[in-house]
């Protein structure tokens, strides 16, 4: 277990440094090259200081400051954290594959069942996913307060829905990748990376005019595609457009993908031969 803890810690540190570095870049470059956009006159001009209209939007390259009339929901930060945690979960999803490469003989000599051992590994990974999610939200909020942008955020009645949804989104990617790589002894990283490419391609195929049989097959496969449920536009507009998915169904589907993925991974790993 300690080995998996060290693995999660090292990957967490790499992600945490990246998140902080991006926040520092935004902090360093925000507040410069002010451009005032008057939405009433539809004119763009160079300038500095306050906008000339209450409807104007001040754009600070490369950061963006939005007027009080154009506040954004807090769930935007949850969407960002969910995306970061999903990538993190994709990397951690190769945990059983990592055990397969040179550690299998040792792992199976421990006084515990194979399933119990694997579940403990996955529990550590899941806690790591929750930690990177919380860390990303914390850094984002800290940056907003340092830049005095917090006044542009507002909570929604459905913020908790987005919180659960994007945590489930990250866990679903973990479960999917675990299922895809549990019986792999090498190239697990490539499989994890290409899983995003394939997931994106499936979403694109769903919008094409394909033969009915192929379209039905792609639609069914997409129900197990975490990317389907990860869009954000004050709600998963793309998902609803393609599949008429409600937030409740999206959350249920994401947790379902997680459970199915973990179950499939355990079934494969249990049958491996050292």
């Amino acid at each position: 277990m300690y080995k998996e803890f060290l693995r999660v810690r090292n990957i967490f540190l790499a992600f945490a440094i990246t998140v902080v570095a991006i926040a520092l870049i935004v902090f360093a470059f925000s507040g410069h090259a002010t451009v005032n956009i008057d939405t009433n006159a539809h004119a763009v001009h160079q300038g500095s200081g306050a906008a000339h209209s209450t409807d104007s939007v001040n754009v600070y390259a490369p950061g963006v400051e939005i007027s009080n009339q154009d506040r954004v929901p807090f769930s935007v930060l949850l969407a960002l954290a969910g995306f970061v945690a999903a990538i993190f979960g994709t990397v951690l999803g190769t945990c059983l594959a990592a055990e397969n490469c040179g550690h299998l003989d040792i792992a199976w000599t421990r006084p515990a069942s194979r399933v119990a051992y694997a579940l403990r590994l996955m529990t550590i990974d899941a806690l790591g996913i929750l930690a990177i999610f919380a860390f990303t939200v914390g850094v984002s909020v800290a940056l907003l307060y340092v830049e005095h942008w917090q006044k542009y955020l507002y909570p929604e009645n459905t913020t908790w829905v987005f919180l659960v949804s994007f945590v489930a989104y990250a866990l679903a990617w973990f479960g999917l990748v675990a299922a895809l790589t549990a019986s792999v002894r090498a190239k697990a990283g490539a499989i994890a990376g290409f899983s995003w490419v394939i997931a994106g391609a499936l979403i694109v195929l769903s919008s094409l005019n394909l033969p009915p049989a192929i379209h039905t097959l792609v639609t069914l496969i997409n129900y197990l595609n975490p990317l389907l449920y990860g869009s954000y536009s004050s709600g998963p507009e793309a998902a609803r457009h393609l599949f008429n998915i409600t937030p409740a169904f999206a959350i249920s589907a994401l947790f379902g993908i997680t459970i199915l993925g973990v179950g499939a991974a355990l079934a494969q790993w249990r049958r491996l031969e050292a």
Side-chain angles (χ1 to χ4, degrees), residues 177-190:
V177 172
L180 293 175
T181 62
S183 58
V184 175
R185 295 182 188 270
K187 299 182 179 180

Side-chain angles (χ1 to χ4, degrees), residues 33-243:
T34 303
V35 178
N36 295 323
I37 303 175
D38 191 332
T39 56
N40 285 335
H42 300 287
V44 179
H45 58 276
Q46 296 291 336
S48 60
H52 299 286
S53 167
T54 56
D55 294 326
S56 65
V57 178
N58 298 324
V59 182
Y60 297 81
V64 177
E65 181 174 326
I66 306 174
S67 65
N68 288 330
Q69 289 80 9
D70 295 292
R71 296 192 303 165
V72 295
F74 180 80
S75 51
V76 170
L77 302 185
L78 301 179
L80 173 63
F83 177 72
V84 173
I87 299 176
F88 185 75
T90 301
V91 177
L92 293 184
T94 62
C95 59
L96 296 183
E99 287 292 313
N100 298 343
C101 297
H103 301 286
L104 210 55
D105 293 335
I106 298 174
W108 287 354
T109 59
R110 298 181 183 278
S113 71
R114 296 175 182 180
V115 171
Y117 178 77
L119 280 175
R120 285 199 290 270
L121 294 181
M122 291 182 166
T123 300
I124 295 172
D125 295 335
L127 292 175
I129 291 171
L130 296 178
I132 199 66
F133 184 93
F135 180 83
T136 304
V137 172
V139 171
S140 301
V141 171
L143 176 63
L144 292 176
Y145 272 88
V146 169
E147 290 284 5
H148 304 291
W149 292 342
Q150 75 279 4
K151 58 187 175 182
Y152 300 124
L153 284 178
Y154 69 92
E156 301 169 288
N157 293 332
T158 57
T159 296
W160 70 270
V161 176
F162 287 107
L163 172 63
V164 176
S165 177
F166 284 109
V167 168
Y169 178 66
L171 293 174
W173 273 109
F174 170 78
L176 177 64
V177 172
L180 293 175
T181 62
S183 58
V184 175
R185 295 182 188 270
K187 299 182 179 180
I191 295 174
F194 275 110
S195 66
W196 282 80
V197 177
I198 295 173
L202 287 170
I203 295 295
V204 173
L205 288 174
S206 298
S207 63
L208 300 180
N209 187 21
L210 300 173
I214 297 177
H215 187 271
T216 300
L217 177 62
V218 171
T219 300
L220 291 175
I221 295 174
N222 264 319
Y223 279 115
L224 296 176
N225 182 358
L227 199 60
L228 172 66
Y229 313 101
S231 62
Y232 177 81
S233 180
S234 295
E237 298 295 342
R240 284 203 295 266
H241 174 69
L242 290 173
F243 294 91

